Amino acid sequence: MRTLNQFADMTSGVVYVHASPVALCPHVEWALSSTLNSRASLLWSAQEAEPGRMRATVDWAGPVGTGARLTNALREWPGLVFEVTENPSDGVDGERFCQVPGLGLWHGATGANGDVIVGEMQLRALMDAQPDSAGLAGELDAILGTAWDEALENYRMGSFGAQVTWLTQRVG
């Protein structure tokens, strides 16, 4: 019988540094490398959505909870725009963290398909606390991270010269 210890389970995820000042790039790499206990080699490219800033992406693998530790390491720099995802693993939901200046940090649990999970008790508490549908809609937007998604969308689009992965389908 398997012992249930979530920190024994391995998972993976992605760190998206959407916008970093050039001078901060080496510090971001050091913070990620220190947290992962291995070299995080990021390939930086210009962030067209915010000229003068850089973007990079790195895949990671580690114990469950690594996404939160990576987020904690990156949130020391309030001007950094980033997302950290942690994929679900056996018996543990995934997570997504988003940091946007002016909005702060958002965190949500995610399911296997990447949707944000909102629990029954969260929904019941919102319905009890909000006397009208407009208030409830605003609270649901906050739980789902709508403002963060809207703020990050321009950064997610990529830029000229950014790395691209083409999906191919092999037939036959």
Side-chain angles (χ1 to χ4, degrees):
M1 179 183 220
R2 181 176 153 225
T3 303
L4 291 178
N5 178 353
Q6 75 174 15
F7 294 103
D9 291 336
M10 297 297 285
T11 189
S12 60
V14 182
V15 174
Y16 302 93
V17 180
H18 291 298
S20 172
V22 174
L24 192 56
C25 294
H27 299 283
V28 169
E29 288 193 40
W30 296 329
L32 295 175
S33 295
S34 175
T35 304
L36 293 170
N37 293 321
S38 66
R39 176 130 171 81
S41 298
L42 282 76
L43 298 174
W44 295 92
S45 61
Q47 174 53 271
E48 288 186 6
E50 200 167 331
R53 298 188 75 173
M54 303 297 286
R55 63 180 289 139
T57 303
V58 65
D59 296 323
W60 61 268
V64 170
T66 299
R69 289 190 294 279
L70 291 165
T71 300
N72 195 44
L74 294 176
R75 71 185 294 198
E76 290 183 35
W77 299 289
L80 195 64
V81 180
F82 69 88
E83 286 182 88
V84 176
T85 65
E86 180 169 310
N87 297 325
S89 57
D90 290 339
V92 181
D93 292 330
E95 295 182 286
R96 184 164 63 105
F97 301 86
C98 300
Q99 174 74 34
V100 175
L103 293 175
L105 181 69
W106 174 84
H107 167 257
T110 57
N113 64 350
D115 284 350
V116 174
I117 298 170
V118 180
E120 175 187 353
M121 296 314 292
Q122 283 179 289
L123 290 173
R124 291 188 185 283
L126 288 176
M127 290 187 304
D128 289 343
Q130 297 301 321
D132 60 24
S133 61
L136 181 60
E139 291 297 320
L140 287 172
D141 276 341
I143 286 177
L144 295 173
T146 301
W148 285 263
D149 278 335
E150 288 172 356
L152 291 171
E153 196 57 33
N154 285 339
Y155 295 106
R156 292 175 179 150
M157 300 306 291
S159 62
F160 179 75
Q163 287 185 308
V164 177
T165 302
W166 293 100
L167 300 177
T168 59
Q169 181 177 10
R170 186 176 228 163
V171 180

